[in-house]
Amino acid sequence: MQNNHAGWNFDNSYSRLPGIFYKNQLPTPVREPKLIIYNVSLAATLGLDANALKSKDGAAVMAGNQIPEGAEPLAQAYAGHQFGHFTMLGDGRAVLLGEQLTPQGERVDIQYKGSGRTPYSRGGDGRAGIGPMLREYIISEAMHGLGIPTTRSLAVVETGEEIIRETMLPGAVLTRVAASHLRVGTFQYAANWGKEEDLRALADYAVERHYPEVKASDNRYLSLLKELINRQAGLIAKWLHVGFIHGVMNTDNMTISGETIDYGPCAFIDTYDPATVFSSIDRDGRYAFGNQPYIGGWNLTRFAESILPLLHDDEDEAVKLAEGALSEYSDVFQAHWLAGMRAKLGMMNEEAEDKTLIADLLNMMQKHRADYTNTFRALTFDQLEEIDLFKTEEFTQWHEKWQARLGRQEGAKDAAHELMRKSNPAVIPRNHRVEEALEAAVEKGDYSVMEKLLKVLSDPYAHSEEQSEFCTPPAPSKLPYRTYCGT
Ligand code: AMP
Ligand code: MG
């Protein structure tokens, strides 16, 4: 253990859970750690000293070569349904350093990704490539900028070692910050391989950490289920509002905190089409853009199954309680989704016909292959010459109805415009821009492209002049954009 006063303030509650939930595991030191990107503002929020972390010692810590005082590194156990198939998984290339208590009194996980083999590595090398780690850094920070609950990225360190994939690639370690790394898959693991007391300890831990308000309820585990349903429904609705496709919504990649996690083949849509799939391995479109709400419900059902023994002593009663809670999911999701879509269209109150009006717009966007982000941006700024769809007769009719709808609501036109401004981003991490930034960084060691992209993505609702060049959709391409699982 190394003493390292950079503001670390650990208290590791996860390591106080029953032993089946983890294995103590040090990261495997790397040859030549080099800090290549570092999140100064996040460090400050965490109470970390930015300068200390930028030093040589800091790079050593971010690579796992030095362990700060108070950390208790471990690999977490979990299982999961991957594309519908149940498997034992666990942190195969990640190590939880510990939980940092921030100056604001929050508790967050600090985790290395790409830090070497663990008892859960199965056949893998425990390592990560620089491209996928920088990609996670960009997209997770973009999600944060968009106001979507997400794990954050503190730093990426090059390891000075090569890893073997299709070709040799530079290795990297990402330091990730999360409300916790508890997953639906952690509960599946407990239900399958633990005793009931292990499952209960995990559920109590999740309640304490993420849903303390349910402790007062008659059946705290049923309340936990209902709260998780609400949080995940809200999260997935937010994804849809900005055009985000997670790409690999396996149950091990769904958090209990309600944060987006595990950025692998994720990407944002340009043209609007609910059937859009980017991931090369998602051949059946299980995780297609428009299928995400359904999969959210599927995953939550797996969660409910896992905690059945806690819901009621009588199994039939437990099933009834779970089904009752799960039957609300669809309506809860719809309510979140509709609220966000109304905001995107400047609707400050509710009218019965809103849903139809929104659906009509989306259908037209799909038919005319309109750019999702730019359509809403153009509507926000009343730039009716911007989009081809806007030149059609059916759009003109829709626009009249929409204007009439807005005319019926109380409140100034300015307020509706303000609402639209802050609900419709100017910029999203468009695929071609992300690729361009990664190419400059990985191929040429030029991080300026990525830094500039990160800057505009940090405040996507600014609608500033410097953002305008990032609003352009990619040039039409014959080949669809493809993403790969970032291993
Ligand atoms: P992911 O696709 O990142 O959600 O990972 C799925 C599972 O594979 C998790 O248990 C990971 O820890 C594991 N995994 C992914 N890449 C590697 C690797 N290079 N070495 C060992 N395990 C890995
Ligand atoms: Mg995962």
Side-chain angles (χ1 to χ4, degrees):
M1 290 271 166
Q2 291 276 339
N3 207 335
N4 191 305
H5 299 286
W8 293 111
N9 181 25
F10 286 110
D11 175 66
N12 308 313
S13 62
Y14 190 89
S15 67
R16 300 195 280 271
L17 276 174
I20 68 154
F21 287 109
Y22 65 93
K23 295 261 194 282
N24 292 320
Q25 175 68 53
L26 287 170
T28 310
V30 304
R31 193 183 302 148
E32 203 184 332
K34 190 175 143 213
L35 195 60
I36 51 179
I37 187 132
Y38 176 53
N39 196 331
V40 177
S41 73
L42 176 59
T45 321
L46 297 176
L48 297 175
D49 174 353
N51 288 327
L53 287 174
K54 272 191 214 156
S55 69
K56 201 158 176 244
D57 274 0
V61 169
M62 292 299 155
N65 285 19
Q66 273 185 34
I67 303 300
E69 190 179 278
E72 293 176 73
L74 59 86
Q76 294 182 325
Y78 54 86
H81 275 91
Q82 299 193 301
F83 289 89
H85 303 286
F86 188 64
T87 323
M88 174 61 204
L89 296 160
D91 288 337
R93 55 159 172 173
V95 162
L96 177 69
L97 191 55
E99 294 148 32
Q100 170 81 355
L101 301 183
T102 73
Q104 299 79 38
E106 282 175 287
R107 173 188 296 274
V108 292
D109 278 8
I110 310 287
Q111 193 205 56
Y112 297 125
K113 191 165 172 182
S115 52
R117 289 182 54 82
T118 79
Y120 309 110
S121 294
R122 298 171 291 162
D125 62 359
R127 290 298 183 191
I130 184 174
M133 294 306 99
L134 290 177
R135 195 164 189 282
E136 170 153 350
Y137 190 110
I138 297 171
I139 311 261
S140 64
E141 288 307 300
M143 293 289 270
H144 175 72
L146 286 162
I148 298 176
T150 177
T151 63
R152 305 280 310 271
S153 296
L154 181 60
V156 178
V157 169
E158 244 186 288
T159 60
E161 296 172 13
E162 295 214 302
I163 62 166
I164 308 165
R165 295 294 182 263
E166 279 98 62
T167 56
M168 301 293 279
L169 297 171
V173 177
L174 168 80
T175 303
R176 174 158 83 176
V177 179
S180 87
H181 285 82
L182 297 180
R183 305 151 189 268
V184 168
T186 320
F187 281 81
Q188 292 181 288
Y189 168 76
N192 273 272
W193 286 286
K195 301 192 210 67
E196 191 175 315
E197 66 207 54
D198 296 322
L199 179 64
R200 191 176 300 274
L202 180 67
D204 286 338
Y205 181 75
V207 163
E208 196 62 58
R209 212 161 157 184
H210 301 301
Y211 302 92
E213 65 281 6
V214 309
K215 278 194 283 184
S217 71
D218 290 343
N219 185 340
R220 65 161 70 177
Y221 306 112
L222 180 62
S223 301
L224 169 66
L225 172 61
K226 288 182 181 169
E227 291 298 324
L228 180 63
I229 287 171
N230 184 41
R231 248 186 238 185
Q232 282 293 342
L235 178 68
I236 297 168
K238 283 196 161 76
W239 291 354
L240 266 54
H241 294 147
V242 297
F244 176 75
I245 307 181
H246 184 283
V248 59
M249 285 176 75
N250 297 331
T251 54
D252 51 302
N253 293 337
M254 182 183 258
T255 58
I256 302 303
S257 66
E259 288 183 342
T260 314
I261 198 169
D262 276 1
Y263 293 88
C266 59
F268 285 71
I269 55 172
D270 294 299
T271 52
Y272 177 74
D273 182 354
T276 307
V277 173
F278 292 121
S279 170
S280 61
I281 58 168
D282 189 4
R283 293 198 188 85
D284 303 325
R286 180 180 171 90
Y287 301 138
F289 179 73
N291 212 33
Q292 297 184 110
Y294 167 77
I295 291 295
W298 194 91
N299 289 351
L300 289 162
T301 307
R302 304 289 84 76
F303 175 79
E305 285 165 2
S306 301
I307 61 162
L308 279 180
L310 304 181
L311 292 180
H312 203 284
D313 290 338
D314 181 277
E315 201 183 323
D316 292 339
E317 284 301 317
V319 170
K320 257 190 229 158
L321 290 173
E323 283 175 351
L326 289 165
S327 69
E328 304 282 323
Y329 170 73
S330 176
D331 286 349
V332 173
F333 171 79
Q334 272 297 320
H336 281 292
W337 183 80
L338 199 52
M341 293 307 290
R342 280 196 174 106
K344 284 175 86 68
L345 288 171
M347 300 169 173
M348 296 182 288
N349 61 348
E350 296 177 12
E351 281 192 11
E353 290 301 304
D354 292 345
K355 219 175 140 177
T356 313
L357 199 59
I358 293 163
D360 288 347
L361 174 64
L362 291 174
N363 287 336
M364 282 188 295
M365 285 167 67
Q366 183 176 356
K367 189 166 133 196
H368 294 275
R369 301 198 56 72
D371 184 89
Y372 184 74
T373 304
N374 284 348
T375 300
F376 284 101
R377 197 169 57 93
L379 289 174
T380 303
F381 294 98
D382 206 23
Q383 291 162 339
L384 294 185
E385 67 295 340
E386 285 276 306
I387 308 275
D388 283 346
L389 162 66
F390 294 172
K391 295 168 191 146
T392 64
E393 179 54 32
E394 57 179 332
F395 174 79
T396 308
Q397 286 177 15
W398 179 89
H399 192 260
E400 264 172 37
K401 271 196 228 160
W402 174 51
Q403 286 301 306
R405 158 69 179 84
L406 293 189
R408 287 193 295 274
Q409 70 190 2
E410 294 202 6
K413 249 187 137 177
D414 286 359
H417 172 69
E418 252 332 288
L419 179 62
M420 289 181 74
R421 255 187 96 111
K422 59 178 206 239
S423 308
N424 295 310
V427 281
I428 50 161
R430 289 187 189 267
N431 302 319
H432 64 301
R433 288 296 194 170
V434 174
E435 295 294 335
E436 173 189 72
L438 291 179
E439 200 182 303
V442 178
E443 310 285 326
K444 304 189 196 100
D446 171 8
Y447 287 85
S448 64
V449 185
M450 177 169 161
E451 301 274 5
K452 193 168 175 204
L453 181 62
L454 284 168
K455 181 155 182 278
V456 293
L457 290 171
S458 69
D459 189 7
Y461 305 103
H463 297 280
S464 65
E465 190 50 45
E466 68 169 335
Q467 287 176 329
S468 56
E469 63 167 304
F470 289 87
C471 299
T472 319
S477 151
K478 285 206 186 82
L479 292 175
Y481 183 71
R482 280 279 160 268
T483 56
Y484 301 89
C485 265
T487 57

